[in-house]
Amino acid sequence: LKAVLGGGGKGMRIVRKKEDLAEAVASAQRESLASFGDSRLLVERYLDAARHIEVQVFCDTHGGAVHLFERDCSVQRRHQKVLEEAPGPGISPEL
């Protein structure tokens, strides 16, 4: 579960069992409302062994765009990035 207006790991809960869902929703909604003034949540599939890769793209009003390549933000604590590494290690040029 993830707060719609969230950031910094606030309003996020990992739910592994159906019987834990109701309490996780209530808890995430309370935290989201207190932190962001909005209790709406969205549901995302949680991937245990995933890597967090970001690509920053800048565009202008004339159709121009550039990207600043990728960075690996997989080192996290409580769903908050601790380290960003660029270029991302182990990312093939084809990707």
Side-chain angles (χ1 to χ4, degrees):
L1 301 170
K2 198 172 193 180
V4 169
L5 298 182
K10 291 184 183 260
M12 291 178 68
R13 300 292 182 277
I14 298 169
V15 181
R16 298 190 188 274
K17 296 183 289 185
K18 189 164 98 173
E19 53 269 16
D20 297 337
L21 181 61
E23 176 52 36
V25 166
S27 175
Q29 284 181 320
R30 282 191 303 271
E31 185 174 22
S32 179
L33 186 60
S35 298
F36 309 112
D38 188 315
S39 64
R40 292 177 298 154
L41 303 176
L42 57 92
V43 176
E44 287 185 351
R45 180 179 302 272
Y46 181 74
L47 304 173
D48 279 316
R51 290 174 61 193
H52 181 133
I53 308 297
E54 295 182 355
V55 177
Q56 197 161 17
V57 179
F58 291 97
C59 302
D60 62 24
T61 58
H62 306 287
V66 297
H67 68 86
L68 299 180
F69 301 95
E70 84 289 340
R71 60 183 180 256
D72 190 327
C73 307
S74 298
V75 178
Q76 298 189 9
R77 180 174 185 263
R78 296 185 182 153
H79 311 292
Q80 219 170 1
K81 292 181 276 189
V82 174
L83 178 71
E84 295 184 10
E85 185 175 358
I91 298 176
S92 68
E94 296 80 27
L95 183 59

